[in-house]
Amino acid sequence: MRITTLLSIFLSALVLILPSFAMAADNLAHPTQLGMLPAATPSATEIHNFHHLLMYIITGIVAFVTVLLVYVMIRFNAKSNPTPSTTTHNVLLEIIWTLVPVIILIVIAVPSFKLLYYVDRAKDPEMTLKVTGYQWYWGYEYPDQGGVTLTANILKDDEIDPAKGQIRLLSTDNPVVVPVDTTIQVLVTAQDVLHSFAMPNFGIKMDAVPGRINETWMRIEKPGVYYGQCSELCGINHAFMPIEIHAVSKEDFAAWIARQQADQGIQAPADDAGANAESAE
């Protein structure tokens, strides 16, 4: 009976785990999907790798403890072992069960500290994106592109156009546009209350704190549309301030910035003007 119960538990867990190995076809979650969204940045890739390492360690510990418990139940029950041992100490065993957890913790701690330093801030960023959280929308600024600004509000249900790929509760009226293969410094703050700028595909979840600027970074490796949401309870419309980021080629980004500068009456910085002249030649 015990073997049957253990087998049923194992099969049930297997059914739940298997879907997590299927990669999502795009950057959105799917019904019954387990696991994380596909990584689009080096930071997200490193976070996923660390997660997989922990899963291997946890699975090994659970398997070992399960086998040990089954062995003890079979080998040392009252029927199989009517005369129990009176042993109270085993020096070697006590050393082993002290050292093994320490080794496991070291194996976890070393890559975790490396990961913390890796995702902390960008080295030699190529551009900056400033993100400001408001109740209840996001504001964005491109200081390196002459101070181009935009605000992004959630699209209401009657404004959603599926033909344009817009998605309920995730699409915004002004998507953020950034270039791929570019190291982007992201400065995050808030105007009123605590918010949190969270982009699962990028491995980013940074608190937006009024009066303080927090820093993170991203380097998107493939074009696409990526979504995130505020992940800090910030008021009645907390669930309705999504993040929509369009990652495009550097050429398309330069063209988009030029249109934004023209619309906002911003003169292109000297370095941008020179770059545009060189590309035109």
Side-chain angles (χ1 to χ4, degrees), residues 45-58:
T45 299
E46 292 299 323
I47 291 171
H48 290 190
N49 290 338
F50 182 65
H51 168 267
H52 298 333
L53 171 66
L54 293 184
M55 286 299 296
Y56 291 137
I57 294 174
I58 292 170

Side-chain angles (χ1 to χ4, degrees), residues 50-270:
F50 182 65
H51 168 267
H52 298 333
L53 171 66
L54 293 184
M55 286 299 296
Y56 291 137
I57 294 174
I58 292 170
T59 302
I61 293 173
V62 171
F64 172 75
V65 173
T66 301
V67 170
L68 190 62
L69 286 175
V70 172
Y71 175 77
V72 169
M73 288 188 294
I74 296 174
R75 175 65 180 81
F76 297 104
N77 60 58
K79 184 177 179 180
S80 302
N81 191 48
T83 305
S85 171
T86 58
T87 302
T88 57
H89 295 284
N90 187 308
V91 176
L92 178 60
L93 185 61
E94 291 177 0
I95 292 175
I96 291 174
W97 73 37
T98 300
L99 288 180
V100 169
V102 171
I103 294 173
I104 293 174
L105 290 177
I106 293 174
V107 171
I108 293 175
V110 171
S112 70
F113 285 126
K114 291 175 62 178
L115 180 60
L116 285 174
Y117 280 102
Y118 181 75
V119 303
D120 182 38
R121 59 184 58 191
K123 292 183 179 179
D124 302 320
E126 300 170 63
M127 64 169 284
T128 299
L129 175 68
K130 183 180 179 182
V131 181
T132 305
Y134 300 90
Q135 291 182 308
W136 286 271
Y137 61 95
W138 294 97
Y140 302 93
E141 181 181 352
Y142 297 78
D144 299 328
Q145 283 72 35
V148 169
T149 61
L150 60 92
T151 57
N153 291 273
I154 187 173
L155 287 176
K156 299 179 180 178
D157 290 355
D158 57 0
E159 298 173 332
I160 295 293
D161 185 357
K164 296 181 180 179
Q166 295 174 345
I167 302 173
R168 180 177 178 270
L169 298 180
L170 290 177
S171 294
T172 62
D173 55 356
N174 287 310
V176 184
V177 179
V178 294
V180 297
D181 298 325
T182 303
T183 302
I184 304 172
Q185 178 188 47
V186 183
L187 305 179
V188 183
T189 187
Q191 184 66 30
D192 34 51
V193 298
L194 291 176
H195 300 278
S196 183
F197 184 75
M199 292 294 299
N201 294 102
F202 301 164
I204 290 177
K205 188 176 185 296
M206 181 60 65
D207 284 347
V209 183
R212 176 173 179 174
I213 295 180
N214 290 327
E215 180 182 341
T216 184
W217 68 283
M218 59 188 181
R219 184 181 180 89
I220 307 172
E221 298 174 320
K222 55 184 178 180
V225 180
Y226 302 92
Y227 298 97
Q229 290 177 311
C230 177
S231 294
E232 185 73 49
L233 292 176
C234 58
I236 189 171
N237 285 331
H238 157 69
F240 305 103
M241 50 182 303
I243 306 161
E244 181 180 4
I245 295 181
H246 291 200
V248 300
S249 66
K250 295 183 179 181
E251 294 76 15
D252 290 342
F253 174 73
W256 180 83
I257 281 293
R259 292 195 299 270
Q260 295 297 316
Q261 290 172 339
D263 293 341
Q264 299 180 27
I266 297 174
Q267 185 176 359

